[in-house]
Structure formats: C-alpha cells, structure tokens
Amino acid sequence: MRLLERMRKEWFMVGIVLAIAGAKLEPSVGVNGGPLKPEITVSYIAVATIFFNSGLSLKTEELTSALVHIKLHLFIQIFTLAFFPAAIWLFLQLLSITPINEWLLKGLQTVGCMPPPVSSAVILTKAVGGNEAAAIFNSAFGSFLLGSSSSVPFTSIFSQLFMTVVVPLIIGQIVRRYIKDWLERKKPPFGAISSSVLLMIIYTTFCDTFSNPNIDLDKFSLILILFIIFSIQLSFMLLTFIFSTRNNSGFTPADTVAIIFCSTHKSLTLGIPMLKIVFAGHEHLSLISVPLLIYHPVQILLGSVLVPTIKSWMVSRQKGVKLTRPTV
C-alpha cells in the first residue's frame, strides 16, 4: 500500500511537470478560445465534475456537520477577508521604500482582498484527505460574500456558483442515495479523478499565464514579484497551520488542511472582473493585474507540490490521535 501511494505521488509530480512543460511549449491550445475551450471545459464542466464527485463521495452527515462548524468558518473567513489584506497592507508599507514599481505593489494589495477560489482549494483539500465539506462551503461562501458586496454583477456570480457548485453537489448526493452500497463496496477512484482535474486546471492556468501579454516585465521585476508571492503564500500557509494546530484550537487535522488552502488561496475568476471594473480605463491596469495573474498559478503549483507532505502529516496525526484514545 505504501509503495502504491508513493508511486501515485511520483506520477502526480511528473504530471505537474508535464502539464507546465506542455503549456510552455504550446500555450495556445489551453488558452480561452483555444481548441481546449477552458472557458467551458474548465470553468463549468471541470468545476461541476469536482462538486458532483464530492456529492458522490461525501456522506450527507459530513456535509451537515461541516455546515454547522461555525468556528471553522469564522476562522477561514476572518483570516481571508480581514487578516490577510491587513497583513499585506503592513508588508507593503515596508516594500514602498524599495524601488519596486508602485503599481505592482497596488496589485499585491488587491490580491489580498480577493476571496478564495471555488475549485482549487477544494481539489487540494480532497487530494490530501482533509475536511472537503468545509472547503466546499467556505470557498463558495467567500466568493459569494465578496462578490455580492463588490461591483461584479450579483446575478452572474450567483448563477455560476449555483450551476457549477450547488446543483452538481445536490445531484451527487441524490445519486449516492441509490448507489451507496456499490460505492462502499467498489470504492471508486475519487482521488484519481480529482488529481486528473487538477492537472487539467494547472495546464490551462499556465497556458493563460505563458500567453498573457499583460505579464510583460523585465526579468528582475518578474523574479522579485515571484519571490514575494511565494514568500507570502508560504508564510500564510505556515501561519494558518500554527494557529489551527494549537492545543486549544479545537480543530482536527482534517480541518487544518481545509484552513490552509481556503485561507491562503485567491480567486482569479472573480478577481480579474473586479479589477477591470474598479480600475476601468486606468492606464496601469495591466501592471495592477500582474500579481493576481502570477498568484493564481503559483498557489496551484505550490499547493500541488505540498500535497504529499501535508497528507503525510495529517495521516500521522490522525494515527497518533487514535493511539492515544483511551480504551473502554
């Protein structure tokens, strides 16, 4: 079993490398409007597949218990929508004395204000084996909450979330009722399906990144902004890990996994329309957009690379909890 798990990890890492290499060689295949049509296949079909898959694999009790886990939801939403932007603002006060372009710094500030994405945080949480139900709720709720309070059309956000998240999840739960015994007996490869969808998202994301004319920076600025974004993501992932694993936190290892991904990931799908509305006609819109355009692929890549490490930690912690439980 350990050998099989190790082989899966290795093949997944190979898949990430091949996906990025393929995107670099021929980005036109996976860009919006290209042969792969990611604006349909990824934004709708792939995301709907993720949540239908979740509806099939999750027990109804897991969804209902996640819904009432108020402490977990408050932690994620407060960290995402309050602590994250406040910490970024303080960090940018230090960076403002450096020669970094001020519009790139403004772009970093807007990244901090974005909600979590609907798809990647859920897929990564599922890949690790974390609290998938909580990840679903917080990803959808964060996008809905911030989107409904911004200038982005409310009906557009609501209809897309409803059709790609709520409907597939409900259909999956309904189908599960009829094939529950078969699912428990056969144990379909839900993890492999999620990993395949994640590789598809990585590929199309990097196709967009490599073909995007807005990311036209000199090498020094590009490397610097990449380093800053990697540092921000790793720092916040570590912070959420520390906060959620304290002895009195009340969170399980599975909760911690959902917290790490949902609290630190940012939505490109909602973010770009928001930027275009808020900074409509602004001559520096392309520079302001660059940090978000870089943050999105970096969060998927970094999260995917860390999946095996976080999964090993979670499994070891869960085994430790079981061993320390008193026998009756």
Side-chain angles (χ1 to χ4, degrees):
M1 184 65 72
R2 287 183 178 178
L3 179 62
L4 183 62
E5 187 65 27
R6 183 179 175 183
M7 288 176 64
R8 284 176 181 168
K9 291 176 184 176
E10 289 175 353
W11 277 111
F12 183 63
M13 296 305 295
V14 170
I16 292 174
V17 173
L18 291 176
I20 296 173
K24 178 64 175 176
L25 289 172
E26 194 55 60
S28 60
V29 175
V31 296
N32 285 345
L36 201 57
K37 300 291 182 186
E39 66 273 18
I40 298 172
T41 57
V42 174
S43 298
Y44 288 93
I45 298 174
V47 174
T49 300
I50 293 165
F51 289 99
F52 175 73
N53 189 19
S54 296
L56 274 180
S57 60
L58 284 171
K59 296 176 182 177
T60 305
E61 307 83 65
E62 291 176 325
L63 283 171
T64 52
S65 64
L67 192 64
V68 296
H69 198 337
I70 305 300
K71 184 177 181 179
L72 176 62
H73 306 326
L74 282 174
F75 182 99
I76 292 174
Q77 297 305 323
I78 291 173
F79 191 96
T80 303
L81 302 176
F83 180 85
F84 198 119
I88 290 291
W89 182 83
L90 287 172
F91 180 53
L92 293 181
Q93 302 312 301
L94 296 174
L95 291 181
S96 63
I97 61 175
T98 68
I100 301 174
N101 187 292
E102 64 174 303
W103 299 108
L104 287 176
L105 296 182
K106 196 172 288 291
L108 276 173
Q109 181 67 71
T110 62
V111 168
C113 300
M114 296 300 164
V118 172
S119 55
S120 62
V122 174
I123 296 177
L124 291 167
T125 300
K126 185 181 183 69
V128 173
N131 191 336
E132 183 185 352
I136 291 171
F137 176 82
N138 282 282
S139 294
F141 182 75
S143 294
F144 180 80
L145 182 67
L146 191 57
S148 62
S149 63
S150 69
S151 303
V152 180
F154 174 80
T155 52
S156 173
I157 296 168
F158 180 81
S159 60
Q160 185 170 358
L161 286 175
F162 185 75
M163 293 305 297
T164 59
V165 177
V166 180
V167 171
L169 190 66
I170 291 173
I171 293 174
Q173 283 283 288
I174 293 171
V175 173
R176 178 182 170 82
R177 285 177 177 270
Y178 292 98
I179 61 171
K180 183 179 178 181
D181 293 337
W182 180 85
L183 288 171
E184 291 178 354
R185 188 172 64 254
K186 294 293 184 180
K187 298 190 182 302
F190 291 119
I193 295 170
S194 295
S195 295
S196 300
V197 174
L198 180 56
L199 288 174
M200 183 180 180
I201 291 174
I202 290 171
Y203 171 70
T204 55
T205 298
F206 275 89
C207 282
D208 269 337
T209 302
F210 291 137
S211 63
N212 198 313
N214 289 331
I215 305 179
D216 185 22
L217 298 174
D218 59 273
K219 287 186 178 180
F220 174 75
S221 297
L222 185 59
I223 292 171
L224 191 59
I225 205 75
L226 270 169
F227 175 75
I228 291 170
I229 286 173
F230 262 107
S231 301
I232 288 172
Q233 286 196 32
L234 280 172
S235 299
F236 283 149
M237 290 177 84
L238 182 60
L239 269 178
T240 54
F241 177 80
I242 292 170
F243 289 157
S244 61
T245 54
R246 291 176 302 164
N247 291 332
N248 60 345
S249 69
F251 298 127
T252 66
D255 292 338
T256 294
V257 174
I259 286 170
I260 287 172
F261 292 124
C262 291
S263 300
T264 59
H265 279 213
K266 296 296 179 180
S267 174
L268 181 71
T269 306
L270 187 59
I272 291 300
M274 286 174 67
L275 289 179
K276 287 181 178 178
I277 291 170
V278 174
F279 296 99
H282 200 291
E283 61 176 320
H284 296 292
L285 175 60
S286 60
L287 278 175
I288 295 171
S289 304
V290 165
L292 181 59
L293 292 170
I294 293 175
Y295 194 98
H296 181 67
V298 167
Q299 71 187 4
I300 294 174
L301 178 61
L302 186 59
S304 302
V305 169
L306 290 175
V307 160
T309 303
I310 298 174
K311 187 170 186 176
S312 297
W313 168 83
M314 190 191 76
V315 170
S316 66
R317 280 294 298 268
Q318 288 175 333
K319 284 181 180 177
V321 169
K322 288 178 182 177
L323 287 172
T324 54
R325 281 178 180 169
T327 54
V328 179

